[in-house]
Amino acid sequence: MCDKDMDAFLPQLSTTDTKQKLVIGNELLAYLQNGSSIECSDIGLVVDSLIPWIHSSNFKVSQMGLDLMTELAVRMGTYFKPYIPTVLPAVVDRLGDSKELVRERCQLLLQALMEHGALTPQQLFERLNPAAFCHKNSNVRDEVLRCLSSTLNQHGAGCVSISKLVPSLIKLLSDPNSLVRDTALSTFLNIYRHVGDRLRNDLIKKHNVPPPK
């Protein structure tokens, strides 16, 4: 394994054998985490080859694909930007996964994209709103709320234009799913901690939310 480079991994990423995927995935993950060179003939092809992994119905393969993509995002930093339109829809889709571990890996990847400069928090939520907030899968709606809260905690209130998200958040207070309703309420409480009465005034004046509510 020590004499491998990124070009040697590339043809192996297209294997359809699940066991092989996990073996290759572990090797590539160790390679990336060791700080080995990520220079290769086509890094975009590496990213594209990992998208089917993320979409895999086998949660271990999906999880591995997300781990590998996170490492690439960390290593590539701002150079990961061109791949956001390809990667983000796959990550949003997996936010709806029934396995909590897969959803956690999605959150880690989203945070890595922001922390390492592939996109700003504002850019992320412009892409997520409104589609992810009204996604048919309740796990996606719940996880995007959690992502907003952790982003505010990590990057501060000024990192995202909250006022643009408020209409989507208000709708989720009446979501059919009780878990989403609870998460929406706790998200509002977290936003209030960050911005104070400005949020309350916004809700009353701009969105006609009754003061008692």
Side-chain angles (χ1 to χ4, degrees), residues 132-198:
F133 287 93
C134 59
H135 199 279
K136 62 185 179 183
N137 185 317
S138 62
N139 277 338
V140 175
R141 301 195 301 273
D142 185 63
E143 292 291 339
V144 77
L145 287 166
R146 293 176 189 277
C147 181
L148 176 58
S149 266
S150 55
T151 302
L152 291 174
N153 294 342
Q154 188 76 20
H155 299 276
C159 71
V160 178
S161 176
I162 298 294
S163 59
K164 290 182 181 177
L165 301 177
V166 165
S168 296
L169 299 178
I170 289 172
K171 284 180 189 171
L172 293 179
L173 287 171
S174 309
D175 195 86
N177 183 287
S178 62
L179 179 63
V180 175
R181 292 197 301 272
D182 289 346
T183 307
L185 183 58
S186 62
T187 302
F188 264 120
L189 291 171
N190 193 30
I191 293 169
Y192 186 81
R193 276 196 291 272
H194 284 281
V195 303
D197 279 337
R198 196 163 44 127

Side-chain angles (χ1 to χ4, degrees), residues 35-101:
S36 305
S37 172
I38 59 168
E39 280 189 34
C40 64
S41 54
D42 192 349
I43 195 73
L45 199 52
V46 175
V47 173
D48 288 345
S49 299
L50 289 174
I51 297 294
W53 290 47
I54 292 174
H55 281 303
S56 174
S57 57
N58 182 301
F59 81 94
K60 289 182 179 177
V61 173
S62 182
Q63 192 177 309
M64 179 62 74
L66 289 160
D67 285 345
L68 290 167
M69 201 70 85
T70 301
E71 283 301 318
L72 283 175
V74 170
R75 294 290 306 277
M76 292 171 70
T78 57
Y79 293 103
F80 198 85
K81 281 181 183 182
Y83 309 109
I84 295 294
T86 306
V87 173
L88 198 56
V91 178
V92 170
D93 183 62
R94 287 271 70 85
L95 279 174
D97 199 279
S98 59
K99 294 277 185 187
E100 190 178 348
L101 273 174

